[in-house]
Amino acid sequence: MVTTQEHDASVYERVQQSSEFQELKRRFRSWVFPMTAAFLAWYLLYVVLSGWARDFMAIKVFGNINVGLILGLLQFVSTFLIAWAYARHAGRKLDPLADKLRHEVEGEAK
């Protein structure tokens, strides 16, 4: 007799081995890893410039607004743009496949 816990584990293990799940992981990683690396590089550039290029960061662009302030505000802008872009990517590329897998798992687990 198969217990529910053993049955559930085998369903999830089968889904994990499926080509659809592997494709879902590939799509997720192919977007998230490069975007994370790009954002971290952008953030570290800001930190490095703040610490070692103070003269550059202090250049006044207009009024009391300097390069450092503009780059700092762009950190927030880039964060929101990345979140928006990820939501769009997930809605188009990840969610349909994840929904399909979820329905398969729910059907098998019953």
Side-chain angles (χ1 to χ4, degrees):
M1 181 169 150
V2 177
T3 66
T4 304
Q5 187 175 16
E6 289 171 354
H7 176 70
D8 289 346
S10 64
V11 169
Y12 297 121
E13 288 170 354
R14 273 197 313 276
V15 169
Q16 186 178 13
Q17 299 300 321
S18 72
S19 61
E20 291 92 359
F21 186 77
Q22 297 305 315
E23 176 64 17
L24 180 63
K25 282 187 351 181
R26 187 196 64 74
R27 290 180 187 182
F28 175 77
R29 289 176 177 170
S30 70
W31 198 92
V32 170
F33 290 164
M35 190 58 67
T36 300
F39 181 77
L40 287 175
W42 159 234
Y43 176 74
L44 290 174
L45 174 67
Y46 178 72
V47 171
V48 168
L49 290 173
S50 296
W52 287 281
R54 291 177 184 244
D55 292 338
F56 171 72
M57 297 292 268
I59 293 172
K60 302 251 183 193
V61 177
F62 52 90
N64 287 328
I65 308 297
N66 61 21
V67 172
L69 181 60
I70 292 171
L71 292 179
L73 291 173
L74 286 175
Q75 291 287 316
F76 289 99
V77 171
S78 65
T79 300
F80 287 110
L81 285 175
I82 289 169
W84 170 79
Y86 176 75
R88 210 177 136 146
H89 170 73
R92 282 196 212 158
K93 303 281 185 177
L94 303 178
D95 292 346
L97 189 52
D99 288 342
K100 179 183 176 216
L101 288 169
R102 181 174 48 92
H103 290 306
E104 287 176 14
V105 168
E106 287 174 350
E108 287 184 41
K110 288 182 180 182

